[in-house]
Amino acid sequence: MARTVTVSLNELTDIVDASLRKIGVPEGDVVVVREVLLYAELRGNNQGLVKIPARGVLPRADARPPSFERRMPCVMHIDAHGSSGIATLKRAALEAVALASVHGIGLVAVRDRAGSTGAIGYYAELIAAQGLVAILVGGSPKAVAPAGAVEPMLGTNPLAIGVPAATGPIVLDMATSSMAWYGLIQAQSRGEPIPPGIAFDADGRFTTNPAEALKGAITAFAGHKGAGLALMIEILTGPLIGNSVAGEGGPPSYGEIAIALDPRAFGARTEFEARTAAFLARVKAARRAAGCEEILLPGEGGNRRSAAARVANRIDLDAVLYAQLVELARG
């Protein structure tokens, strides 16, 4: 069987919508879930369609509509009550934009959401496209070992920062783990090993078997630096806003913080954009290392890949994943 299949985006959209409905995604969430998952898939990000057969985008069985509380003029808390992580975080990003447009800053905290939020760069781009600076941090199930440990105490805890630019938002989107949880799921589905030094098995030994890694713990990126960043995000998205952390007992709850900053609150917006554009141009023109053909800004490679797929109206999709989606859609 070929490793990939070429699928038109029109066909893929229909398959994704049908498969989301079949696994139980509420009708009102189907479009936004598909939009966020395809954002990642078209960029080559492992936060994409692999989440559908893994049932990683479902609300809890006891989910209730989210509730909203203004704690301060520019701060809002959203209690998702087990609702879709994707739909809730998009609402949080839009609320942060609305608050920032009035107060110069908007901070929205999400607690007790269910299922994955997908690539949080999507929400950073959404905010930055409004001319605002975006900062998002996310909590997640415990899968990462602190530096020096071999058991999972931290989430993969992503960070995204987006800034507006003349050519479109510049977005950094990264997990604080050496590999995202769904990277392990993807490797397991493909029957591929993971790189050495990425994860431990349940006995605390390094493994290249993704199935064994899923029973153990992932390492943080860049050793103690990544682990420290993951730890701080765990505190921000856990105790600070009312979600759980490892060892507390009771049902787990996860959430995010979305922050939008209006450049006008710090000076002239046009000056910010002009200085940013000039700096980005200098970065792109920096003297390159041997073998480097081009210096890419955060997200630039993914932007090009996504744009090319949309122009061609097709994507080369993992064959195993495609078969899984088709089976779900027809089931």
Side-chain angles (χ1 to χ4, degrees), residues 51 107 153 156 158 209 265 274:
K51 294 176 182 285
L107 187 154
M153 300 291 291
T156 56
N209 184 331

Side-chain angles (χ1 to χ4, degrees), residues 9-259:
L9 297 188
N10 294 335
E11 177 192 357
L12 186 58
T13 295
D14 291 341
I15 291 171
V16 169
D17 284 359
S19 61
L20 289 173
R21 293 186 177 100
K22 289 295 175 63
I23 67 171
V25 171
E27 184 62 35
D29 294 342
V30 167
V31 171
V32 65
V33 172
R34 179 240 296 159
E35 184 178 84
V36 173
L37 295 185
L38 281 181
Y39 167 87
E41 195 69 41
L42 294 178
R43 300 173 65 81
N45 186 314
N46 58 26
Q47 297 297 301
L49 300 179
V50 66
K51 294 176 182 285
I52 299 177
R55 268 68 169 181
V57 292
L58 295 175
R60 278 204 316 263
D62 64 345
R64 294 182 284 121
S67 56
F68 304 81
E69 180 184 357
R70 286 281 290 276
R71 297 285 179 88
M72 293 181 179
C74 60
V75 177
M76 175 179 286
H77 279 220
I78 300 178
D79 193 325
H81 300 300
S83 296
S84 160
I86 286 176
T88 304
L89 189 52
K90 183 170 184 179
R91 178 66 184 273
L94 294 174
E95 293 289 351
V97 168
L99 290 172
S101 67
V102 176
H103 303 287
I105 179 173
L107 187 154
V108 181
V110 175
R111 70 173 305 275
D112 197 27
R113 53 90 178 150
S116 171
T117 60
I120 66 170
Y122 170 90
Y123 313 97
E125 182 173 303
L126 178 69
I127 293 171
Q130 303 302 311
L132 307 174
V133 174
I135 304 172
L136 291 97
V137 290
S140 55
K142 309 312 165 220
V144 177
V150 295
E151 66 173 312
M153 300 291 291
L154 310 170
T156 56
N157 295 357
L159 162 71
I161 300 175
V163 295
T167 56
I170 306 298
V171 177
L172 168 71
D173 178 2
M174 55 173 280
T176 52
S177 53
S178 296
M179 176 176 279
W181 176 261
Y182 278 92
L184 298 180
I185 297 288
Q186 195 172 64
Q188 181 185 36
S189 175
R190 294 173 176 175
E192 297 174 348
I194 59 175
I198 291 292
F200 304 103
D201 64 16
D203 295 322
R205 298 171 301 200
F206 278 117
T207 181
T208 58
N209 184 331
E212 294 302 318
L214 289 166
K215 301 173 187 176
I218 310 169
T219 62
F221 88 96
H224 67 281
K225 294 182 179 181
L229 184 56
L231 177 73
M232 292 303 183
I233 292 176
E234 192 76 30
I235 294 170
L236 294 177
T237 60
L240 179 65
I241 61 176
N243 291 298
S244 62
V245 291
E248 287 189 326
S253 58
Y254 312 110
E256 287 72 36
I257 294 176
I259 301 171

